[in-house]
Amino acid sequence: CNLQPKDAAKMPESAWKLLFYSLSWSYGAYLLFFTDYPFFHDPPSVFYGWKKGMDVPTDIAIAYLLQCSFYGHSIYATAYMDTWRKDSVVMLLHHVVTLTLIASSYAFRGMKGGDEQLAGCPCSSFRPLAAPKSIERLSLGEDFWGINWKPTLLLCPGRFWFRLYWFPLKVLYATCHSSLQAVPNIPFYFFFNALLLILTLMNIYWFLYIVLFVAKVLMGQMQEVNDVREYDVEDAGKA
């Protein structure tokens, strides 16, 4: 692809994340909007008829398997394969918390199977910068198909919508409030909600990076799609 040396090492990571998150988001959207599951429009329904040891539908079990395998791999990839960034430690913690949440939810049927899928896709799998970063590293830039790719940065508000609006509205509301209404003695209530609240704090943390990114673009301080989480060249060796 005639990649520049500095982009060649980062392109596989961007392309892989673009591929996985696109498929993951699409599958999650399919489960929520094109099946009979009412989880999105009626979040409390994830706890209707809950009981210990209940069966998990096959299509949701597949989503669990995909998410668990991805985040299990991501722990290793963040530590040993991906570019080390300013938020890599937080990213590692995020992957550990997410993997624990998904695996525990499936093992203990703590959220009826569907709720973690609601938390994972599409609310959490939306990655607005994967496509612009991949395109920029391919040196396609603004002339690709005659399209100015700067407007793609307008996808950044999508992170706010999915992670800081829908996630609390749909997921935290169901787990913190509706779960006790439907199942007063539901087990692991504080365990699951503590992990979800930690993820919410991380979402706020990363949204601040998005705000910084957009501010630099609007003020003309950034001429290409650069990740503000990455170290400067002079600091790369220290990192």
Side-chain angles (χ1 to χ4, degrees), residues 69-91:
S69 60
F70 173 75
Y71 282 105
H73 164 266
S74 294
I75 294 174
Y76 173 84
T78 301
Y80 298 108
M81 297 174 62
D82 296 344
T83 302
W84 193 257
R85 300 182 175 90
K86 299 173 184 177
D87 67 334
S88 292
V89 174
V90 179
M91 186 69 74

Side-chain angles (χ1 to χ4, degrees), residues 50-166:
W50 180 89
K51 60 181 179 181
K52 293 182 179 179
M54 64 186 302
D55 293 332
V56 177
T58 301
D59 50 4
I60 291 181
I62 292 174
Y64 268 98
L65 176 62
L66 293 174
Q67 294 288 334
C68 277
S69 60
F70 173 75
Y71 282 105
H73 164 266
S74 294
I75 294 174
Y76 173 84
T78 301
Y80 298 108
M81 297 174 62
D82 296 344
T83 302
W84 193 257
R85 300 182 175 90
K86 299 173 184 177
D87 67 334
S88 292
V89 174
V90 179
M91 186 69 74
L92 276 173
L93 177 61
H94 170 272
H95 295 336
V96 171
V97 170
T98 302
L99 182 61
T100 302
L101 182 61
I102 296 174
S104 300
S105 174
Y106 185 87
F108 302 131
R109 306 299 192 266
M111 298 179 183
K112 198 186 174 183
D115 190 67
E116 186 52 42
Q117 176 59 19
L118 180 63
C121 302
C123 292
S124 292
S125 292
F126 184 78
R127 295 298 193 277
L129 292 181
K133 285 169 63 177
S134 298
I135 292 169
E136 187 72 27
R137 283 168 182 159
L138 282 172
S139 300
L140 299 176
E142 300 179 2
D143 296 328
F144 183 51
W145 290 338
I147 298 175
N148 186 324
W149 282 99
K150 292 294 190 292
T152 60
L153 304 184
L154 295 177
L155 289 171
C156 295
R159 186 172 183 114
F160 173 84
W161 182 262
F162 281 88
R163 293 192 162 209
L164 298 181
Y165 177 70
W166 269 359

Side-chain angles (χ1 to χ4, degrees), residues 10-57:
K10 300 175 183 179
M11 183 61 192
E13 177 188 350
S14 298
W16 161 243
K17 290 181 178 179
L18 173 61
L19 173 64
F20 177 82
Y21 288 129
S22 297
L23 295 175
S24 175
W25 189 93
S26 299
Y27 186 60
Y30 162 75
L31 290 178
L32 291 179
F33 302 118
F34 298 97
T35 64
D36 295 331
Y37 298 123
F39 302 144
F40 184 80
H41 300 290
D42 184 20
S45 66
V46 298
F47 296 104
Y48 297 165
W50 180 89
K51 60 181 179 181
K52 293 182 179 179
M54 64 186 302
D55 293 332
V56 177

